[in-house]
Amino acid sequence: MSKIKLKLFFIALLINLFLIGYECAAQKTTQSHKEFLITEYGSKGDGRTLNTTTIQKAIDAAFKNKGGCVVFPKGRFLSGSIVLKSNVTLYFEEESVLLGSTNPKDYFNMDFEGRPVSPKNDDNSQMALILAHKANNITLKGKGTIDGQGLKLALNIDSLHHAGIAIDPKYSLRRNRPNETMRPKLFRFSQCDNVLIEGLKAGEASCWGLSFELCSKLTLDSLTIVNRSYWNNDGIDITDCKDVRVTNCNINAADDGICLKSYYPGCYNDSIYIANCTIRSSASAIKFGTASVGGFKNVTIRDIKVYDTFRSAIAIESVDGGIIENIEVSNIQAVNTGNAIFIRIGQRSGEKPGSIKNVHLKNIKVKVPFGRPDSNYDLRGPEVDFFHNPFPSSIVGLEGYAIENVTLENIEINYPGRATKGMAYIPLNRLNQVPEAIKDYPEFSMFGELPAYGLYVRHANGISMKNIKLTLDDSDFRPAFVFDDVQNLKMEAIDLPNEKQKQVIFKNVISSNIEKQLVEKIMEIQQ
């Protein structure tokens, strides 16, 4: 064979091998996108037939196929717990509804073998309508709805307890409801990688809504989440996850809207991006904690609209030893919201307190009402059980464990005023009266009455404030700011109502840089 023919032969062989490889790749792609219609596996969309087994068969078939798309057509498909597996997509066509069963016996816990550590406190349900564990490359999308039917389910769980059939050992007699460990979530995904959930309407669980723990590369986009059927109805819970994006979501939750948690020692939430979301909540809109064992690092939150929210627009809490650092929060618009900003280090157990440092809050505008902002909710957050005036924002560490390097920039907060000394009164010569509340559950109201109407800061080092504007609808006898045990305080371009001479109170403030026009409004307290 001549050299030219030999060369042509090898070229043809290479082309042939390339075409075969391309055909195999195309076959593999087609195979992984094969559709598995749940009705072909026996599911009925009549809203009455329990389809748990048939839906699971479709998921299992897609998994055995090494990938595929499980399709929910138009209809109302009732189901108990189903388990999502690797390389499987659940696609919900328009007018398709996955209904959670109202029978608690239709839900189960997954046997998660090989789990790195157990949660520090087993204070949340391990059951869910949709479960996934160590499932990679999974997707839920479409224009359909996932409805947990949470109120009916929770009331059935309650009835079984009172009938003595399924006793809840942690049943709350004071609040007359079963503990959250007995009530299934909507989603519970654990140790999953590369998860996409987009376009769906979801919610109405008996407990938390969308819950993710120890997951990576998690994307939640364009979701409408209404989770306000019962108690502990968080919208989204993200626990010790990495590389997370939550964007373009509309959340209406009877508990926290978006909650970052940390249960696992040595683990933490890292590289979290939350943007372009609208949140309504009977608790806090966006919250770090209260479970804060490992911590939260490198979190960006931006372009968030908050309304009709009972507690804080932004709450950042380390009370279980967790580390919180490198947090960027910007472009927050909150109206009819009970509290603007709450940052807290606590110590709920005997372990060493955690830390909070490098927090930047900018371009935030909040309007705080006089009455409770969630009055139109069927299930409202628990009332504060003491007399109080409207609460200020607060940044409070512990003695010896200061909150460090917090920047507040371009912040405008409108307060209702109408405070009265007859309702509650802490004179400025009794600032020690404010409790440390070291072991208490963290909440903006945890210290009781506070001696400032705008911002109360205690045990902090490195507070920088620039372009801060506070307004009052009515008079308030309290000063705008109280700083107690604060080092390295900087205040620049502070705009306050002119009705008081002394609006800035210093107690044990070391090394401050205050603009000239504000100096005459400062009163130093010696105690």
Side-chain angles (χ1 to χ4, degrees):
M1 185 180 290
S2 69
K3 288 184 178 179
I4 294 174
K5 286 184 178 179
L6 187 64
K7 192 173 183 180
L8 289 172
F9 171 80
F10 278 114
I11 290 172
L13 181 62
L14 288 172
I15 291 172
N16 232 2
L17 289 171
F18 172 80
L19 289 174
I20 291 169
Y22 178 83
E23 187 178 346
C24 288
Q27 265 187 342
K28 185 177 179 181
T29 302
T30 304
Q31 186 180 34
S32 66
H33 285 81
K34 181 179 176 181
E35 290 190 353
F36 297 82
L37 191 64
I38 63 170
T39 50
E40 292 181 356
Y41 289 82
S43 293
K44 296 181 180 180
D46 56 14
R48 299 185 303 274
T49 303
L50 188 67
N51 298 292
T52 311
T53 302
T54 55
I55 293 172
Q56 192 64 56
K57 282 181 179 178
I59 293 171
D60 293 346
F63 174 68
K64 289 176 183 177
N65 186 63
K66 298 183 180 179
C69 183
V70 175
V71 179
F72 288 73
K74 179 180 177 180
R76 296 170 64 81
F77 297 91
L78 186 69
S79 178
S81 293
I82 55 175
V83 181
L84 189 54
K85 299 183 179 180
S86 293
N87 304 312
V88 174
T89 293
L90 300 187
Y91 183 79
F92 295 83
E93 293 184 348
E94 194 167 4
E95 296 187 54
S96 67
V97 181
L98 173 60
L99 287 173
S101 170
T102 59
N103 184 347
K105 292 182 180 180
D106 292 330
Y107 297 88
F108 57 83
N109 299 327
M110 287 195 68
D111 182 13
F112 290 170
E113 295 181 359
R115 195 173 194 162
V117 287
S118 296
K120 184 176 180 180
N121 295 306
D122 188 18
D123 63 354
N124 67 85
S125 175
Q126 309 302 313
M127 298 180 288
L129 176 59
I130 302 179
L131 294 158
H133 177 62
K134 293 185 178 179
N136 303 326
N137 308 315
I138 55 178
T139 299
L140 292 87
K141 64 181 181 180
K143 297 182 179 180
T145 300
I146 302 173
D147 180 349
Q149 300 198 96
L151 180 57
K152 290 181 180 178
L153 175 57
L155 292 178
N156 284 340
I157 294 168
D158 185 77
S159 296
L160 290 172
H161 170 80
H162 288 293
I165 297 171
I167 300 295
D168 177 2
K170 297 182 179 180
Y171 190 91
S172 175
L173 292 173
R174 186 171 72 86
R175 293 181 174 175
N176 197 34
R177 66 176 188 242
N179 185 270
E180 60 190 281
T181 59
M182 303 293 289
R183 295 180 267 121
K185 300 172 183 175
L186 198 69
F187 295 0
R188 182 174 184 263
F189 291 8
S190 176
Q191 299 182 56
C192 297
D193 179 71
N194 196 21
V195 179
L196 170 63
I197 304 174
E198 66 176 357
L200 299 171
K201 297 177 182 177
E204 306 303 5
S206 63
C207 191
W208 297 356
L210 280 59
S211 178
F212 308 91
E213 60 179 40
L214 298 167
C215 295
S216 60
K217 295 190 283 294
L218 169 65
T219 300
L220 311 178
D221 183 59
S222 301
L223 302 175
T224 300
I225 299 172
V226 179
N227 204 37
R228 43 180 290 191
S229 289
Y230 203 63
W231 303 98
N232 312 109
N233 273 184
D234 290 3
I236 298 171
D237 290 274
I238 298 168
T239 302
D240 295 320
C241 294
K242 295 185 178 182
D243 298 322
V244 177
R245 291 180 64 86
V246 181
T247 53
N248 309 308
C249 293
N250 192 319
I251 301 167
N252 185 348
D255 211 314
D256 298 317
I258 299 176
C259 192
L260 305 183
K261 294 177 177 287
S262 179
Y263 279 108
Y264 299 92
C267 299
Y268 49 87
N269 281 302
D270 188 8
S271 301
I272 312 295
Y273 180 77
I274 301 171
N276 300 311
C277 294
T278 299
I279 304 173
R280 179 176 186 246
S281 166
S282 196
S284 292
I286 296 180
K287 178 178 174 181
F288 295 63
T290 56
S292 47
V293 176
F296 315 90
K297 299 180 180 181
N298 308 313
V299 180
T300 299
I301 299 168
R302 57 180 301 174
D303 301 312
I304 306 294
K305 293 181 179 179
V306 178
Y307 71 104
D308 295 353
T309 291
F310 177 45
R311 295 176 183 166
S312 303
I314 300 292
I316 301 174
E317 306 161 356
S318 174
V319 296
D320 302 310
I323 295 170
I324 301 179
E325 61 185 23
N326 302 332
I327 312 299
E328 296 279 342
V329 180
S330 63
N331 303 333
I332 309 296
Q333 298 280 332
V335 295
N336 197 32
T337 298
N339 177 254
I341 298 164
F342 176 71
I343 304 178
R344 169 63 170 167
I345 292 177
Q347 188 180 9
R348 291 199 293 186
S349 66
E351 299 175 4
K352 180 181 176 181
S355 63
I356 299 177
K357 62 182 180 181
N358 303 333
V359 177
H360 193 178
L361 304 155
K362 67 178 180 180
N363 303 332
I364 295 175
K365 188 173 183 179
V366 182
K367 184 173 178 59
V368 177
F370 185 77
R372 68 175 298 153
D374 65 341
S375 59
N376 289 328
Y377 267 93
D378 297 330
L379 295 170
R380 295 168 295 283
E383 292 277 5
V384 175
D385 59 353
F386 56 87
F387 292 120
H388 64 88
N389 287 301
F391 291 102
S393 292
S394 55
I395 301 172
V396 184
L398 294 176
E399 188 172 359
Y401 297 92
I403 293 171
E404 300 181 84
N405 301 330
V406 177
T407 299
L408 305 172
E409 184 178 1
N410 301 332
I411 311 288
E412 182 177 345
I413 306 175
N414 172 255
Y415 288 101
R418 294 178 60 187
T420 170
K421 292 182 180 180
M423 178 64 71
Y425 183 43
I426 296 181
L428 295 178
N429 63 358
R430 295 209 311 265
L431 292 181
N432 288 336
Q433 184 178 331
V434 179
E436 294 283 357
I438 295 171
K439 295 183 179 296
D440 289 4
Y441 185 91
E443 203 61 84
F444 73 96
S445 57
M446 66 183 297
F447 306 107
E449 177 73 6
L450 284 172
Y453 78 78
L455 176 66
Y456 175 80
V457 182
R458 193 182 206 181
H459 307 313
N461 183 0
I463 302 294
S464 178
M465 303 170 63
K466 183 177 180 180
N467 293 329
I468 309 298
K469 182 177 182 180
L470 302 183
T471 60
L472 285 167
D473 292 337
D474 208 334
S475 61
D476 196 307
F477 69 88
R478 299 169 294 180
F481 302 116
V482 171
F483 299 94
D484 185 351
D485 183 25
V486 176
Q487 298 182 50
N488 300 307
L489 171 65
K490 182 178 180 180
M491 301 179 76
E492 179 184 354
I494 309 297
D495 186 352
L496 302 174
N498 294 318
E499 59 184 55
K500 298 187 194 68
Q501 181 70 9
K502 304 298 183 182
Q503 295 207 57
V504 183
I505 307 303
F506 280 4
K507 178 192 170 192
N508 298 327
V509 174
I510 301 171
S511 184
S512 62
N513 184 356
I514 312 298
E515 63 180 1
K516 287 184 178 180
Q517 59 266 37
L518 198 62
V519 171
E520 64 182 19
K521 294 181 180 290
I522 295 174
M523 176 187 293
E524 293 199 38
I525 304 295
Q526 302 295 328
Q527 290 184 346

